[in-house]
Amino acid sequence: MIGILALVVAVLPSSVADATGSTGSTEGTADWRRVSAGGRHSCGIRITGRLYCWGDDSDGELGDDAALANMPTPTEVAGNHTDWITVAVGANHTC
């Protein structure tokens, strides 16, 4: 899942969209400190220390306390933490 408002496979690099779907703003493209891609979902830490995930959530791997649904754009992980340092994404889990 590449975070561009669509659940598609891409063969070229793409900017990650922000929560509004924009890829042209600083919020959406330049402020990612770290990104980890898994089999069906991805997560990233912004320079603010907040953790966002997007993609397949069928096993709750996005951590957003929402219904288990696909999210095509980054959604903040529940807890309102601003001190995330690293994230690792696997096939059906996030650490």
Side-chain angles (χ1 to χ4, degrees), residues 30-55:
D31 72 340
W32 294 101
R33 178 187 305 155
R34 191 175 301 261
V35 175
S36 179
R40 298 179 304 171
H41 74 291
S42 301
C43 295
I45 301 171
R46 294 188 182 272
I47 58 172
T48 59
R50 295 183 181 278
L51 177 62
Y52 291 78
C53 294
W54 58 95

Side-chain angles (χ1 to χ4, degrees), residues 55-73:
D56 181 60
D57 193 30
S58 59
D59 295 311
E61 51 268 67
L62 300 186
D64 60 355
D65 285 343
L68 304 178
N70 290 340
M71 297 299 296
T73 57

